[in-house]
Amino acid sequence: MVSGCRDCQTCTMSWIARMGRHTLYVCTFSFLVKPVFLKCCPQCKHTMGRHQRRRDGSFQD
């Protein structure tokens, strides 16, 4: 038996359609949230946590 309700458009989607929709939401969410809440490097656009630092906290660049 299928879980969820039989009248809901999301519940009656195929497994592949639900996974595609989930992937789209995750990608969109990451592109919207990353620049707002995480500090990013102005040069490479990666998060600052990926950059190596010296013991005093300065960057090794």
Side-chain angles (χ1 to χ4, degrees):
M1 193 170 240
V2 178
S3 63
C5 58
R6 62 182 173 86
D7 297 326
C8 178
Q9 191 175 21
T10 304
C11 292
T12 56
M13 276 187 197
S14 69
W15 181 81
I16 294 173
R18 283 192 310 249
M19 290 306 293
R21 187 180 213 183
H22 177 72
T23 304
L24 179 67
Y25 285 155
V26 168
C27 291
T28 303
F29 186 71
S30 67
F31 280 113
L32 294 175
V33 170
K34 182 182 173 187
V36 174
F37 293 108
L38 301 174
K39 289 186 178 180
C40 296
C41 175
Q43 286 181 322
C44 65
K45 306 295 185 212
H46 292 132
T47 58
M48 295 304 277
R50 291 188 162 274
H51 290 69
Q52 295 189 8
R53 298 175 185 244
R54 295 188 187 105
R55 286 187 179 181
D56 64 355
S58 62
F59 292 106
Q60 287 184 347
D61 296 330

